[in-house]
Amino acid sequence: MSVVLGYDESPGAVRALHVAVEVSAAFDEPLVLVYGAAAPGSLGEEATAHRDALREAGRTALSHAVQIADEAGVRTTVEVIDQKPAEALIDAATRHAARVIVVGSWGESPLRGALLGATPHKLLHLARTPVLCVPTEP
């Protein structure tokens, strides 16, 4: 089994990283760090450049998360996936037999999350794996 974390260096994700590291350490399971890097649906050279930039941003963000997990003695796997964040996390959770998916929230209202399609809201409705949504600090 594993713990899957959606990570993008946002304030909510940073707090969720620390919780995910604690959960991974408590269960002695690897932490799978996931960045959903789906580019907008356009075609052409500009879309390719945008996709490449998203992938690079994901690799950079995840490398920072790996450092924190390493300091805590938690094993990690890194995945930059060309899917929207919720889809990427569900896919990774399935492939890695995740015990839980951990995500941070931005403190949005439930209505705003439902209307705008926030990742935690999508996961709570679509994932078959339990979801741990970590609130941002006040």
Side-chain angles (χ1 to χ4, degrees), residues 112-135:
R112 182 178 170 123
L115 293 175
L116 299 178
T119 300
H121 185 265
K122 286 181 182 176
L123 287 170
L124 290 171
H125 292 283
L126 299 174
R128 297 193 184 278
T129 303
V131 176
L132 173 57
C133 185
V134 179

Side-chain angles (χ1 to χ4, degrees), residues 43-69:
L43 300 174
E45 207 171 294
E46 191 173 294
T48 300
H50 190 218
R51 183 186 66 239
D52 292 345
L54 282 172
R55 287 179 183 163
E56 183 59 31
R59 285 189 288 273
T60 299
L62 295 179
S63 71
H64 297 153
V66 166
Q67 290 174 346
I68 291 169

